[in-house]
Amino acid sequence: MSIDRKAATAAYKERKTIAGIFVVRCTPSGEAWVGQAPNVETIQNRIWFTLRHGNHPCRSLQAAWNAHGEAGLTFGECERLEDEESAYVRNALLNERAAHWRAELKAEAI
């Protein structure tokens, strides 16, 4: 392995992740889904991947994708959380804020 590749791998492992709350909206139907992620910057790629392959665990979101396609759905961030030392505190805060945004947006959970 070259030194550049080792440095790139080390930098990737040391990168900061930003936990947060996100929303997926279906423009044609008006439906919304709210979720939480330990890394809000990469979650859209994961969701779109599972939707493209037809195996997203949220059946209503998968149905909206099947009916309207990628063009019918939008992804947005609701909130980014401050960096927490404790994973327990971060997860509790994610759960609390996700519940708030689901109520605020009248959305389903992802």
Side-chain angles (χ1 to χ4, degrees), residues 44-45 47-55 62 65 70:
Q44 180 183 3
N45 190 42
I47 292 170
W48 264 225
F49 179 84
T50 58
L51 289 169
R52 279 188 204 103
H53 287 86
N55 60 1
Q62 185 68 57
W65 176 276
E70 184 173 352

Side-chain angles (χ1 to χ4, degrees), residues 42-108:
T42 60
I43 192 67
Q44 180 183 3
N45 190 42
R46 184 183 316 160
I47 292 170
W48 264 225
F49 179 84
T50 58
L51 289 169
R52 279 188 204 103
H53 287 86
N55 60 1
H56 195 279
C58 180
R59 293 184 187 267
S60 60
L61 178 57
Q62 185 68 57
W65 176 276
N66 295 342
H68 306 291
E70 184 173 352
L73 297 181
T74 61
F75 178 89
E77 289 182 19
C78 296
E79 180 176 355
R80 289 179 173 217
L81 301 181
E82 295 293 321
D83 193 24
E84 282 291 334
E85 292 289 324
S86 164
Y88 176 79
V89 172
R90 184 195 66 215
N91 290 338
L93 190 55
L94 278 170
N95 288 334
E96 177 187 317
R97 298 308 297 158
H100 163 79
W101 282 105
R102 277 194 304 276
E104 181 80 19
L105 300 173
K106 297 176 180 59
E108 284 185 58

